[in-house]
Amino acid sequence: MGRAPCCDKARVKRGPWSPEEDEQLRAYVRANGFGGNWIALPHKAGLNRCGKSCRLRWLNYLRPDIRHGGYTEQEDRVICSLYASIGSRWSIIASKLPGRTDNDVKNYWNTKLKKKAMPMRGPHYHHHAGLGLEAGAGAFSAPATPSGPTPARSWSQCVPSSLQAAALSPAASGSSSVDTSSSGGDMCFAAAGMYQPQHPMQGFVHVDSSPQTVLAPMPLDVPAATGIWASSMPAAGDVGGVALEDAFLADLGAYGDLLLGGFGGQLLQDNKAAAAMELPGACYFPNMAEMWAADHAHANAKPPQGLCNTFT
DNA sequence: AACGCCACCAACCGCGAATCG
DNA sequence: TCGATTCGCGGTTGGTGGCGT
């Protein structure tokens, strides 16, 4: 069965909006709101337009709090890091940037930011400066293990007791702006981002940045609670997903030391300024597989040399 | 001056999700 | 419960203007 069209395309005006139409729509929405029904709005407002077109015009252009152009470097970084972690979820990305719309962010990425970010990608991913995005199939893949010597920390240093307590206590509440989401199964997350284990073998506190991020399942054979973990890439073979963009660093840092795995850790490692600031106790693993392998084999013991790195 | 190319961005399209009756 | 309707999202298209040849 075909889908009914939202309007009679032959009879409604299409293409660019005139200033008169803009004012007509603006005046109507200001006076009446959209009434919960965009489809009926054009008729009520006396506009010969499709309801979807009206909605789009209002949300992307006429809304009073819209900002166009003039993206700051901070906004660039948020977009890049979020894109690296959750992909082209433009509505979510835009929601982190006040005054920006998904369409605007999408256009900005496709026309400007992508070019700015892509040239620094490549098979030889190391500690170069910049946005640090890696190409992958449909998303960015985890980077290769960084080269060069990196100071190792003891496993106990990487897994602060406060985090163990947080993971083992009843689901914590709090005022943090770190949103959470469930990854299905018997997992649950509280408002502060604390994962309350429902299964004796699922123990890591899992911090996620987006309520709509789809997370891959946690492995069932993870040892009991040993700390916060966070990855940015819900890719095949990986577990979980979290965006560690700057907007959330302060929130994450509020939990104390962090274990970071995969691309998120690498992103921070590359971003010296971000790394130096808010996560002084953070400990990152070059990729999630190594992190999980280290944890699986060495729970509460020192991980293999070089697997756990500080940002300093 | 004419033409072609390209970047930019507003708008459209189609789909899945959510909601309604 | 289920089909219809509406919303919201992300990919894509098309118009426009700037720039180089």
Side-chain angles (χ1 to χ4, degrees), chain A residues 38 127 302:
Chain A
W38 283 106
H127 288 172
K302 186 176 179 178

Side-chain angles (χ1 to χ4, degrees), chain A residues 174-229:
Chain A
S175 59
S176 168
S177 64
V178 176
D179 297 320
T180 63
S181 69
S182 167
S183 58
D186 60 355
M187 296 184 185
C188 67
F189 295 81
M194 292 302 174
Y195 165 57
Q196 169 64 22
Q198 301 294 301
H199 186 287
M201 301 305 282
Q202 296 177 339
F204 271 65
V205 176
H206 186 188
V207 180
D208 180 37
S209 67
S210 166
Q212 295 181 51
T213 298
V214 177
L215 303 178
M218 274 185 173
L220 295 177
D221 57 349
V222 176
T226 46
I228 283 182
W229 73 271

Side-chain angles (χ1 to χ4, degrees), chain A residues 3-14:
Chain A
R3 181 188 176 79
C6 63
C7 57
D8 185 350
K9 290 180 169 50
R11 294 178 60 185
V12 298
K13 185 183 173 190
R14 300 171 66 186

Side-chain angles (χ1 to χ4, degrees), chain A residues 212-283:
Chain A
Q212 295 181 51
T213 298
V214 177
L215 303 178
M218 274 185 173
L220 295 177
D221 57 349
V222 176
T226 46
I228 283 182
W229 73 271
S231 79
S232 63
M233 300 301 301
D238 246 347
V239 287
V242 65
L244 291 173
E245 78 283 9
D246 296 346
F248 304 105
L249 291 180
D251 296 295
L252 294 174
Y255 293 115
D257 287 354
L258 293 172
L259 287 180
L260 306 173
F263 189 59
Q266 182 61 49
L267 186 63
L268 291 177
Q269 175 68 13
D270 273 2
N271 190 338
K272 303 298 184 187
M277 57 182 186
E278 306 169 75
L279 297 173
C283 165

Side-chain angles (χ1 to χ4, degrees), chain A residues 114 116-125 128 132-136 140:
Chain A
K114 187 161 66 177
K116 188 174 166 184
M118 291 304 183
M120 55 190 70
R121 294 188 292 104
H124 306 295
Y125 187 101
H128 50 214
L133 299 177
E134 276 294 301
F140 294 113

Side-chain angles (χ1 to χ4, degrees), chain A residues 12 17 21 36 53 60 63 97 118 134 136 184 201 222 234 264 282 301 306:
Chain A
V12 298
W17 282 63
E21 288 176 309
S53 180
N60 289 336
R63 225 171 50 186
L97 303 170
M118 291 304 183
E134 276 294 301
M201 301 305 282
V222 176

Side-chain angles (χ1 to χ4, degrees):
Chain A
M1 184 180 77
R3 181 188 176 79
C6 63
C7 57
D8 185 350
K9 290 180 169 50
R11 294 178 60 185
V12 298
K13 185 183 173 190
R14 300 171 66 186
W17 282 63
S18 68
E20 292 77 22
E21 288 176 309
D22 281 347
E23 189 47 44
Q24 210 171 339
L25 177 59
R26 190 183 286 117
Y28 182 86
V29 174
R30 275 179 183 162
N32 308 286
F34 74 97
N37 189 339
W38 283 106
I39 303 300
L41 183 141
H43 178 69
K44 294 177 184 173
L47 283 161
N48 185 28
R49 286 277 182 175
C50 171
K52 282 180 80 168
S53 180
C54 292
R55 174 184 166 273
L56 213 59
R57 185 64 178 172
W58 173 259
L59 292 178
N60 289 336
Y61 200 82
L62 298 177
R63 225 171 50 186
D65 57 337
I66 292 292
R67 287 191 297 145
H68 284 106
Y71 279 81
T72 65
E73 281 196 22
Q74 171 67 15
E75 286 177 311
D76 287 359
R77 280 191 293 151
V78 169
I79 294 169
C80 287
S81 57
L82 274 174
Y83 186 89
S85 57
I86 64 175
S88 56
R89 313 276 287 274
W90 300 117
S91 60
I92 296 173
I93 295 172
S95 71
K96 307 299 181 191
L97 303 170
R100 304 296 187 189
T101 69
D102 55 351
N103 204 41
D104 201 31
V105 172
K106 178 176 56 181
N107 281 333
Y108 181 58
W109 169 262
N110 284 331
T111 58
K112 294 177 183 173
L113 214 46
K114 187 161 66 177
K115 294 162 195 162
K116 188 174 166 184
M118 291 304 183
M120 55 190 70
R121 294 188 292 104
H124 306 295
Y125 187 101
H126 293 304
H127 288 172
H128 50 214
L131 299 169
L133 299 177
E134 276 294 301
F140 294 113
S141 60
T145 300
S147 64
T150 48
R153 304 175 72 203
S154 73
W155 187 235
S156 60
Q157 281 180 295
C158 296
V159 186
S161 58
S162 60
L163 297 181
Q164 299 182 37
L168 292 169
S169 67
S173 62
S175 59
S176 168
S177 64
V178 176
D179 297 320
T180 63
S181 69
S182 167
S183 58
D186 60 355
M187 296 184 185
C188 67
F189 295 81
M194 292 302 174
Y195 165 57
Q196 169 64 22
Q198 301 294 301
H199 186 287
M201 301 305 282
Q202 296 177 339
F204 271 65
V205 176
H206 186 188
V207 180
D208 180 37
S209 67
S210 166
Q212 295 181 51
T213 298
V214 177
L215 303 178
M218 274 185 173
L220 295 177
D221 57 349
V222 176
T226 46
I228 283 182
W229 73 271
S231 79
S232 63
M233 300 301 301
D238 246 347
V239 287
V242 65
L244 291 173
E245 78 283 9
D246 296 346
F248 304 105
L249 291 180
D251 296 295
L252 294 174
Y255 293 115
D257 287 354
L258 293 172
L259 287 180
L260 306 173
F263 189 59
Q266 182 61 49
L267 186 63
L268 291 177
Q269 175 68 13
D270 273 2
N271 190 338
K272 303 298 184 187
M277 57 182 186
E278 306 169 75
L279 297 173
C283 165
Y284 87 93
F285 287 82
N287 62 61
M288 290 304 295
E290 288 181 1
M291 176 175 169
W292 283 115
D295 174 74
H296 190 75
H298 306 279
N300 294 316
K302 186 176 179 178
Q305 181 80 13
L307 276 182
C308 181
N309 307 281
T310 64
F311 293 117
T312 55

